[in-house]
Amino acid sequence: MTDTVPVTRIPRLYCPIPFAVHPDAEEINKAGLKWLSGFRLYNCEKQWKRYVSAKPGMLPAHVMPRAPRGPALQAAANLLFWLWAFDDLECDEAGDDLSAGNLTLLLCDLARVVEAPSGRSAANPILATLADLRRQLEEVATPVQVARWASAMQAYFLANTGVAIQNQRHLVPDLDTYVTLRIHSGAVKPTLMLLDVADGYELPPAELERPEIWALNEMVCAIVGWDNDVLTYHKEVIRGGADHNLVTVLSRENNCSPAEAVAQAVEMRDRALDLFLRLREQVAADAGPDLLRYLTGLSSWIRGHLDWGMATARYRNPENPAHLPRSLAAEPSVHDQRPLPVPSIAWWWRQLRPVEAMAPPLVTRLPRTPLTPVATLSDVARPSRPAASQMQR
């Protein structure tokens, strides 16, 4: 099969957010691998070596590049280690061994574990690892932060139940259904709920639950998911699991070739990214220090995932290599600020205020520096993390 799959060229993607990577990336990777290896999730030595060779710790190092090194950052990073292993063993990489019904039952058990780890988890290493991760989070996060993460994880499990049913029925979803599921199926939102945990503060509910912030959260989930779909399309076609992929969805919906669908997918993500940047600046114009740090974290996820995705061996199959970009585009593929024709996300654009009603730009309220406005967001002073006993419980 690998000899007959045509290579679809992936163009360079646009992202004006500055590059960043954590200085302790290697230590994060080593600690995460040591933690995961203790649960012996991988029975296949070849599969474990493949997992290790891809350096999964580089993803958290790229998407949380400014968090202080310590147990909170490692717990947030370990979530990504677990998600990657879960994907390998039970989801996209697992093959046909797990039926939609059995996967749904497993997802129900996992949903319970993030609510309250139970004795049932000990017999299954996937459950046991997730239960241990939840205990780590309880040591470094407040109850509110743990509950936010658990809620986002349950949405991830629910979305993947829908994906499993579609896959079993060999259904390619329509665009609106796909977009709705993809916001949660990529597991980005649970990681966003740990940005403040890793960075040593707690964003108050009154800030996080604002419609504009929730729209920004969803945009990050969607953009990262769509970028992932574009970068992994070739790999997924080879493995026969590309139905829940934006390129496949657009190709089916618009009756066009994969190459044309790739161009349409890039246009979609560029238009969503333009909205993210504009709404982020609107929110930043009157934001306090913690919210500015959260906005920086959201931005880092978009850029960090791209830097990691273009470099990881996970997406570059040496037997049938994908034509992936190695650098970013200087300009977006399109300059179009109209809402995307996707009903389920039309509300994102309604969060924008008229320009004349907005406060002065963020750069006019901060000390003058040679940094770009995006980098300036991350230049806000970071207060030290209180001891666990001093944090709200």
Side-chain angles (χ1 to χ4, degrees):
M1 181 178 180
T2 58
D3 294 332
T4 60
V5 176
V7 176
T8 301
R9 181 182 178 278
I10 305 303
R12 291 189 299 165
L13 302 176
Y14 172 69
C15 187
I17 299 164
F19 171 90
V21 65
H22 203 285
D24 298 319
E26 289 295 333
E27 288 75 12
I28 294 169
N29 188 61
K30 289 177 183 178
L33 290 173
K34 181 179 180 181
W35 168 68
L36 202 68
S37 67
F39 291 88
R40 301 187 180 278
L41 275 72
Y42 287 86
N43 294 322
C44 174
E45 184 66 20
K46 181 180 179 180
Q47 198 175 24
W48 171 246
K49 287 182 178 179
R50 177 173 171 265
Y51 178 92
V52 172
S53 68
K55 292 190 173 182
M58 291 308 297
L59 179 56
H62 275 293
V63 302
M64 295 179 285
R66 301 169 186 84
R69 183 78 177 96
L73 171 58
Q74 193 62 53
N78 286 349
L79 169 61
L80 287 159
F81 279 84
W82 183 87
L83 288 166
W84 198 342
F86 178 63
D87 180 72
D88 276 355
L89 298 170
E90 307 292 356
C91 295
D92 291 346
E93 307 286 326
D96 298 325
D97 294 336
L98 194 66
S99 70
N102 287 338
L103 178 57
T104 297
L105 292 175
L106 175 60
L107 291 169
C108 288
D109 285 340
L110 292 168
R112 179 56 182 163
V113 167
V114 298
E115 279 186 329
S118 63
R120 295 180 60 196
S121 65
N124 184 323
I126 287 286
L127 297 174
T129 313
L130 184 60
D132 187 74
L133 175 60
R134 191 187 191 281
R135 283 189 285 269
Q136 292 178 42
L137 292 174
E138 288 177 339
E139 294 176 358
V140 297
T142 69
V144 168
Q145 290 172 315
V146 174
R148 288 172 180 168
W149 167 78
S151 178
M153 288 293 287
Q154 289 171 335
Y156 162 64
F157 297 140
L158 181 61
N160 277 281
T161 299
V163 173
I165 292 171
Q166 289 179 341
N167 288 341
Q168 188 174 58
R169 296 177 179 176
H170 304 289
L171 295 175
V172 176
D174 63 82
L175 181 60
D176 195 48
T177 299
Y178 157 83
V179 167
T180 300
L181 287 173
R182 198 67 174 112
I183 289 170
H184 297 287
S185 67
V188 176
K189 190 168 286 186
T191 69
L192 302 184
M193 296 300 98
L194 297 184
L195 287 176
D196 57 350
V197 174
D199 211 23
Y201 68 100
E202 180 178 353
L203 193 64
E207 296 275 18
L208 186 61
E209 300 299 331
R210 289 168 53 183
E212 316 96 284
I213 307 304
W214 215 240
L216 289 168
N217 281 327
E218 287 198 356
M219 284 179 225
V220 174
C221 295
I223 293 166
V224 170
W226 301 348
D227 285 350
N228 183 268
D229 284 357
V230 169
L231 294 174
T232 63
Y233 175 71
H234 183 72
K235 175 182 77 75
E236 291 181 3
V237 168
I238 290 174
R239 294 172 183 260
D243 285 352
H244 189 65
N245 184 295
L246 181 57
V247 177
T248 303
V249 170
L250 289 171
S251 181
R252 177 70 62 88
E253 182 129 330
N254 298 324
N255 192 27
C256 63
S257 69
E260 291 171 316
V262 166
Q264 293 169 14
V266 172
E267 179 179 333
M268 278 185 62
R269 60 88 58 194
D270 283 351
R271 289 169 64 177
L273 178 58
D274 172 78
L275 175 64
F276 172 84
L277 296 172
R278 288 187 290 139
L279 184 57
R280 183 199 62 183
E281 290 307 307
Q282 172 182 300
V283 172
D286 57 4
D290 285 347
L291 183 53
L292 289 176
R293 291 161 68 189
Y294 188 75
L295 296 175
T296 299
L298 294 180
S299 303
S300 295
W301 240 106
I302 296 173
R303 175 60 192 262
H305 171 262
L306 269 180
D307 290 322
W308 171 80
M310 292 188 298
T312 179
R314 187 175 177 88
Y315 300 163
R316 295 184 179 275
N317 183 346
E319 298 175 2
N320 193 323
H323 196 309
L324 298 182
R326 296 184 179 274
S327 61
L328 298 177
E331 295 289 335
S333 63
V334 64
H335 294 277
D336 188 344
Q337 297 187 342
R338 294 175 299 169
L340 286 167
V342 182
S344 62
I345 59 174
W347 73 278
W348 293 351
W349 278 263
R350 294 196 291 269
Q351 305 313 307
L352 285 171
R353 298 194 302 268
V355 174
E356 60 271 15
M358 292 174 59
L362 174 66
V363 291
T364 68
R365 302 189 298 108
L366 293 179
R368 293 185 179 274
T369 75
L371 299 177
T372 67
V374 176
T376 303
L377 289 174
S378 65
D379 200 43
V380 178
R382 175 182 289 112
S384 60
R385 166 183 285 278
S389 60
Q390 295 175 315
M391 296 179 69
Q392 178 185 352
R393 287 288 178 184

